[in-house]
């Protein structure tokens, strides 16, 4: 059966490429300030039609509290069989400037054996993975299926999280496949067992009633931008590690590590530039808080005037490791930013969003079935790794469905460059992970019989 299933999946790969080509061509950025909302509607309708064709029933669009649309569907289980939830999201990150791409971001382009385009990996590649697995199994689907495709995951506005709380019965299942992560590297089958939470804030610094001529007032007049720079610099120690007063910055990662040279290559670190912080790469990525200045509002270089800035602001993101409460982290970050202000500068800190970290329990039947599937496809046991990103939905699902096993997996791997220009996916990972998913459904059904 394994060889036959593998053959069916291989035969479906041209269709997978055609599907991904259509999906990538839809600029489904869930931010109406940047892209028309009709694109997200088009993507949602495409997903609904595709999964209806793949055998799911009552596939429909449901509006969530943030205004986005989730695509929902199901297929009842055979008598006595378990039900599995398949998750993905159809919205994508903005392309961050067409000039940074080697090919058009919303046009799937094959180059050096990879498929390039925004969303090829995150997360439209995972949509195609689900479709390929379902098509390969066809009418022999051994479990019940519940399906959800989120429409605003990249914006972090929490529409689906709120929808789950309001409609808890709709997504209840025995195992939840959250397919928005991936392997440690191509050919290294991986389940993500740890996610960092987040606390995002916007800090505004004010020093003057208005911008003042730098020739007449510069020197004694306090510069708001300079004050902001000092405040932001205080968030890091001498080696660049995150240091927020009141937060533990010495956590240790006990699982599989991350080779430093591999990380440098994956992250595109320039030659001669040191990594920031101390401890192992895995410690810094998965077990410790990490601060990033996401953006700064200040006068641009071109068009700037000879004036002392009266105000400046920054968007600051703090990634929070498991074991740290995100509310506590936000409060500590806020207090640190306020206390670090020089010269009595006025500081206002506005909370933008928070999300709790997540840790998965890996000792149940679903993980046993997944390991069997992985070994059949890749010839090696599954690896468990952390991830520095955040998926707040996982905590909502864990709190809502306390009896369900949650597995984070998918086609993404470091070479995909998700969220960056020139995002791509290895089509072999789509093929192999679709095979893993189909085998998992078979083994999980057999294990629950």
């Amino acid at each position: 059966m394994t060889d036959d299933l593998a053959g069916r999946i291989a035969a479906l790969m041209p269709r997978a490429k055609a599907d991904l080509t259509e999906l990538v061509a839809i600029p489904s950025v869930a931010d109406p300030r940047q892209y028309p909302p009709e694109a997200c509607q088009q993507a949602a309708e495409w997903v609904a039609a595709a999964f209806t064709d793949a055998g799911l029933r009552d596939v429909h669009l449901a509006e969530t509290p943030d205004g986005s649309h989730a695509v929902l569907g199901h297929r009842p289980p055979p008598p006595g069989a378990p039900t599995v939830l398949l998750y993905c999201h159809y919205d994508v990150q903005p392309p961050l400037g067409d000039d940074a791409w080697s090919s058009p971001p919303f046009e799937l382009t094959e180059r050096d054996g990879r498929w390039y385009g925004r969303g090829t990996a995150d997360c439209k590649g995972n949509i195609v993975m689900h479709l390929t697995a379902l098509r390969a199994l066809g009418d022999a689907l051994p479990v019940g299926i519940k399906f959800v495709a989120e429409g605003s995951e990249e914006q972090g506005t929490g529409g689906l999280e709120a929808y789950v709380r309001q409609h808890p019965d709709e997504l209840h299942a025995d195992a939840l496949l959250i397919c928005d992560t991936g392997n440690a590297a191509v050919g290294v089958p991986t389940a993500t067992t740890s996610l960092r939470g987040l606390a995002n804030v916007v800090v505004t610094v004010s020093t003057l009633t208005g911008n003042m001529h730098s020739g007449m007032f510069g020197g004694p007049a306090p510069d708001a931008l300079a004050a902001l720079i000092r405040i932001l610099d205080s968030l890091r120690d001498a080696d660049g590690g995150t240091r927020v007063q009141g937060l533990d910055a010495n956590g240790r990662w006990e699982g599989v590590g991350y080779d430093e040279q591999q990380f440098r290559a994956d992250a595109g670190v320039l030659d001669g530039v040191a990594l920031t912080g101390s401890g192992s790469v895995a410690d810094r990525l998965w077990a410790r808080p990490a601060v990033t200045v996401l953006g700064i509002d200040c006068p641009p270089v071109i068009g700037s005037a000879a004036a002392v800035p009266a105000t400046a602001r920054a968007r600051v993101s703090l990634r929070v490791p498991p074991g740290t409460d995100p509310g506590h982290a936000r409060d500590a970050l806020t207090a640190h930013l306020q206390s670090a202000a020089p010269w009595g500068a006025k500081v206002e800190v506005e909370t933008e969003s928070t999300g709790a970290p997540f840790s998965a329990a890996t000792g149940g039947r679903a993980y046993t079935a997944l390991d069997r599937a992985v070994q059949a496809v890749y010839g090696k046991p599954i690896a468990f790794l952390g991830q520095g990103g955040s998926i707040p939905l996982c905590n909502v699902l864990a709190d809502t469905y306390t009896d369900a096993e949650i597995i984070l997996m998918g086609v993404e791997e470091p070479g995909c460059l998700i969220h960056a220009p020139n995002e791509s996916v290895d089509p072999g990972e789509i093929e192999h992970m679709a095979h893993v998913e189909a085998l998992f459904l078979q083994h999980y059904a057999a294990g629950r019989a």
Side-chain angles (χ1 to χ4, degrees), residues 126-147:
N126 288 310
I127 293 175
V128 171
M129 178 191 73
H130 284 321
L131 285 170
T132 304
L134 292 175
R135 288 167 178 161
L137 290 170
D139 292 336
L141 190 63
V143 298
I145 293 292
K146 290 189 177 180
F147 171 77

Side-chain angles (χ1 to χ4, degrees), residues 420-439:
N422 297 306
E423 179 181 351
S424 68
V425 69
D426 185 320
E429 291 293 81
I430 293 179
E431 179 177 352
H432 295 144
M433 290 306 295
H435 192 185
V436 166
E437 180 175 342
L439 278 177

Side-chain angles (χ1 to χ4, degrees), residues 3 17 43-44 71 87 107 144 178 188 206 307 345 363 380 444:
D3 292 340
K17 183 180 182 182
V71 183
Y87 166 89
E107 179 181 313
I178 310 303
V188 181
S206 303
K380 60 186 73 172
Y444 188 53

Side-chain angles (χ1 to χ4, degrees), residues 74-161:
H74 74 280
R75 182 162 167 171
T83 295
V84 176
L85 172 73
L86 306 181
Y87 166 89
C88 52
H89 65 84
Y90 62 82
D91 69 305
V92 298
Q93 284 279 332
L96 302 177
D98 292 359
D99 57 344
W101 288 73
S102 299
S103 52
F106 294 114
E107 179 181 313
L108 189 144
T109 304
E110 185 168 0
R111 190 165 64 251
D112 300 325
R114 296 181 70 94
W115 296 344
Y116 285 80
R118 175 56 88 221
T120 48
D122 182 21
C123 178
K124 293 174 178 179
N126 288 310
I127 293 175
V128 171
M129 178 191 73
H130 284 321
L131 285 170
T132 304
L134 292 175
R135 288 167 178 161
L137 290 170
D139 292 336
L141 190 63
V143 298
I145 293 292
K146 290 189 177 180
F147 171 77
V148 60
E150 188 173 4
S152 59
E153 192 275 341
E154 298 292 6
Q155 295 303 309
T157 46
L160 185 58
E161 291 99 290

Side-chain angles (χ1 to χ4, degrees), residues 293 295 365 392:
V293 180
R365 293 177 177 178

